[in-house]
Every structure is written in C-alpha cells, then in structure tokens.
Amino acid sequence: MIKKFIFLVLVFTLFVNATSVNISSDKKTTVYTTFVTKETKILPVNMDYNIPYLQNNYVAFKEAVAFKESQGKYYVVNTLGYLGKYQFGRTTLQRFKIYDTEAFLKNPEQQEKAFLALCKVNKWILRKDIKRSVGKTINGIKITESGILAAAHLSGAGNVKKFLRSNGNIRFADAYGATIQSYLKKFSNYDVSNIEADRLAKV
C-alpha cells in the first residue's frame, strides 16, 4: 500500500513538473512572440527622419521638382530639347547668359544655381499673385507659394499669373500633359521662404 502511494506521488510529481515545463515554454514562446511583434512596431519610430529630402524645405522642394522633371539626372535631354536635372529651355538659359548647353549638362553646380536663380525671378514676377492667392482654394486645390513656384517652372510665370487671376479658368498643359493644377497640388506646402524675389537674379 505504501509502495503504491509512493509510486502515485512520484507520478503526480513528474506530471506537475512536465506541465510546469510546458507552461514555462509556452510563456517563453508568448513572451518571445510579443517581443518580436513589439520590435516590428517600434522599428519605424526609430528611423532617422532628419534626412533632407523628408523635410519640407527648399532642398526637398528642388529635389522633388527635379525628380518629376528628370528623375534627378543632370545629363538628361528630353524629346523637346529641354535640358538637365530641372529641364531648362534654351531661351531660359540664355536669360542667365548660359549659351553652351553641352557644358551646362556637365556642370551640376551651374544647374543648381540656375534653378535657384529662376525661382528668384519667378517669385519676383509673381510676388503680387503670391500675396493675393496663397491660402485660397482654386478648383479644389489649396494654393501655396511652393506650388506657385513649381507651376511657374513648368509653364512660365505668365501662365501661372493667368491661371490665378482667372480663378483657374485659364489653364495650361505642357506637351506631355502636365498641368499647372497638377504642379500646384503636387508641390504644395514646401517651405521656400528662403528664396528671395529678385528680378535681376544671376547664375
């Protein structure tokens, strides 16, 4: 009788230990799974958001325009003869006394300076329209200064002026179908306050 009792106690003890191990293992698995899940959720929070192209500043603005125009490539010439990272027309370049287009394509620094100079000139031409129109909604699009400058790069300041002053009734599209409205929307809300309006901007 005593032997049978001892045997049952041993069996019960082994059963309890085995169950404890399983529970412990399950807990470890649960804890591990939870840890992995939490790590997966936390990873994006730890990403470095202090990257220039993620900020809505001038650098982000010009790179966004460049990507739209040429995928950011300095040496590109499109089927209509527009040149470089920002797809300048030859007449626009001549305004800044740039006549050697081959040299221009090989000169990233000059292309960057030309883009900034054109933004300054366009900002001066459109200064009154920027003051009157920023904050308004035209054809469902909220008008911002960066959107206006991007649209001016696409179509010329004169066409943007007509669009804004007609409350969106006079429109423009380039040979590839890009419109003033699409640029106003796509390039809105960048901080381009550091661009100074300058009628005589030079490269």
Side-chain angles (χ1 to χ4, degrees), residues 88 92-99 104 107-121 198-203:
F88 287 97
T92 300
L93 291 178
Q94 288 169 10
R95 175 182 187 136
F96 299 113
K97 302 188 185 317
I98 298 171
Y99 303 101
F104 179 73
N107 192 333
E109 184 179 355
Q110 191 175 48
Q111 291 189 39
E112 296 297 339
K113 288 180 178 179
F115 180 75
L116 179 57
L118 182 58
C119 284
K120 288 181 176 182
V121 171
D198 184 357
R199 179 174 63 91
L200 302 174
K202 297 178 181 179
V203 174

Side-chain angles (χ1 to χ4, degrees), residues 1 6 52 69 89 91 123 150-151 153 155 160 172 174 201:
M1 188 71 179
I6 292 172
E69 295 292 324
T91 54
K123 190 168 183 175
H153 185 80
S155 67
V160 175
F172 171 89
D174 71 3

